[in-house]
Amino acid sequence: DGGFIIYGNPATGRDTLDSREALYNSKQQGIDLLMQLVVDPEARLKVIIDPTTGDYLQCRGTADITTKMDRSGNLSLLGNYTLEEGRYSLNYEDVFKRAFALEKGSQITFVGDPMDSRFDITAVYSTKTTYYDLLRSEMTLSEEEMRAARRRQKVEVLMRIDGDLEAPELHFDI
């Protein structure tokens, strides 16, 4: 029935209201909701970080979250979402797009307003490149060390995501 749940009288199988119009035109405002949300690792979560660039976080994990909503529609989430796996898609203008693998054990902490959700996430991007451009100005390196720096080697770029959903803070390290 259009994705709505219609409550009815189980004895008669009919709606409790005389008509569906009466149901949808009800003057009653909202509901009070208190729900314990338990998420298992099969459920997937996708969080749009920046709709203008297309940055998003997609992951699987476990959570035990208390969800509250009052009659005015104010939503509150309390609890932790612990990541098992996932990725952070980072898009920088039209220059590059990279998918960082999320480290197991990273967390999203819900502290009330969903927009105030706190990130404590580490993600890794692996590639092969040279160290030469980073090290060539170092005068203390031997010729052998400089030759080694010109060879392509595995490099991991770490991205730490802190802050909240409205203003995530990204920090990088090699």
Side-chain angles (χ1 to χ4, degrees):
D1 219 58
F4 291 97
I5 298 173
I6 306 295
Y7 293 95
N9 183 335
T12 64
R14 298 183 52 95
D15 291 345
T16 53
L17 298 174
D18 292 335
S19 71
R20 290 187 186 220
E21 289 82 23
L23 173 66
Y24 297 123
N25 291 326
S26 173
K27 299 287 186 218
Q28 188 175 19
Q29 296 292 314
I31 62 169
D32 283 320
L33 173 72
L34 177 60
M35 176 175 64
Q36 195 66 29
L37 179 64
V38 177
V39 179
D40 71 22
E42 297 306 311
R44 298 197 182 280
L45 173 69
K46 185 172 185 178
V47 179
I48 306 298
I49 303 295
D50 188 340
T52 58
T53 64
D55 286 12
Y56 67 88
L57 174 76
Q58 185 171 329
C59 55
R60 293 185 316 106
T62 58
D64 189 2
I65 300 170
T66 301
T67 305
K68 296 178 186 179
M69 185 169 46
D70 63 23
R71 289 187 182 274
S72 65
N74 292 321
L75 181 65
S76 173
L77 303 174
L78 299 169
N80 290 323
Y81 184 89
T82 303
L83 284 57
E84 291 288 322
E85 68 174 10
R87 70 182 193 165
Y88 185 96
S89 178
L90 177 68
N91 302 293
Y92 182 72
E93 297 178 357
D94 288 330
V95 178
F96 68 86
K97 295 180 180 185
R98 299 289 185 266
F100 285 73
L102 302 178
E103 287 195 348
K104 184 177 182 174
S106 293
Q107 289 193 336
I108 301 172
T109 302
F110 298 98
V111 294
D113 182 342
M115 295 305 287
D116 291 335
S117 302
R118 304 294 301 168
F119 295 117
D120 183 12
I121 297 173
T122 301
V124 179
Y125 176 76
S126 295
T127 189
K128 281 194 160 194
T129 191
T130 67
Y131 290 92
Y132 182 74
D133 287 335
L134 292 173
L135 301 177
R136 69 178 167 188
S137 63
E138 293 293 322
M139 301 305 283
T140 59
L141 297 177
S142 69
E143 191 60 36
E144 182 179 326
E145 290 170 320
M146 291 305 282
R147 276 194 303 275
R150 287 186 178 101
R151 287 193 304 269
R152 291 174 58 88
Q153 301 176 45
K154 182 179 179 183
V155 175
E156 289 187 338
V157 178
L158 297 178
M159 177 173 51
R160 290 270 315 136
I161 306 168
D162 298 310
D164 59 31
L165 189 57
E166 285 190 302
E169 299 168 15
L170 306 179
H171 308 277
F172 295 90
D173 200 357
I174 297 176

